[in-house]
Amino acid sequence: MKKVQIVIITIVTILLIGCVTFAILYFATDIFKSDKDLFLKYADQIDLKEFINLEGYNNYLKRTETQGHGNEGEFSIKMSQGEQAVSESIKYSRIY
């Protein structure tokens, strides 16, 4: 009878230690959280002012309204099928 009590107490102790360990790992760490939960947790901690320079962007917008600016470029397409070949080039220039 005494051996049965020792075995039962040992099993209950092992289960209790396992449950406490699992609870600590679940609530105190990120081991069992999904990638989505982790992303949302850490994205919520980011201050957007660190990533976006609104003052610089606003200065850029003011400068583009007052100063001239533009784009220039060229697109080239070369295609061939068998003996036939097509080559086209488009140049563009736009000044605001």
Side-chain angles (χ1 to χ4, degrees):
M1 190 71 163
K2 191 152 187 129
K3 284 186 177 184
V4 173
Q5 288 177 342
I6 292 174
V7 170
I8 291 174
I9 291 172
T10 305
I11 291 173
V12 169
T13 306
I14 290 172
L15 287 174
L16 186 62
I17 291 172
C19 289
V20 168
T21 303
F22 177 77
I24 290 172
L25 289 175
Y26 183 79
F27 292 111
T29 66
D30 295 334
I31 290 175
F32 300 110
K33 293 184 180 173
S34 68
D35 290 339
K36 181 180 177 181
D37 292 336
L38 290 173
F39 174 79
L40 294 174
K41 175 184 175 182
Y42 292 113
D44 189 39
Q45 296 174 358
I46 296 173
D47 185 17
L48 288 180
K49 291 180 183 176
E50 295 176 14
F51 285 83
I52 301 173
N53 183 2
L54 290 178
E55 184 178 330
Y57 181 69
N58 289 333
N59 290 339
Y60 168 76
L61 289 177
K62 287 178 187 176
R63 190 175 68 239
T64 57
E65 290 174 359
T66 59
Q67 297 176 359
H69 60 282
N71 293 323
E72 292 182 6
E74 179 179 355
F75 291 105
S76 296
I77 299 173
K78 295 180 183 179
M79 296 178 10
S80 62
Q81 182 177 9
E83 295 179 10
Q84 295 179 347
V86 176
S87 177
E88 293 290 331
S89 178
I90 300 171
K91 291 183 182 181
Y92 67 92
S93 176
R94 185 167 182 177
I95 298 175
Y96 301 94

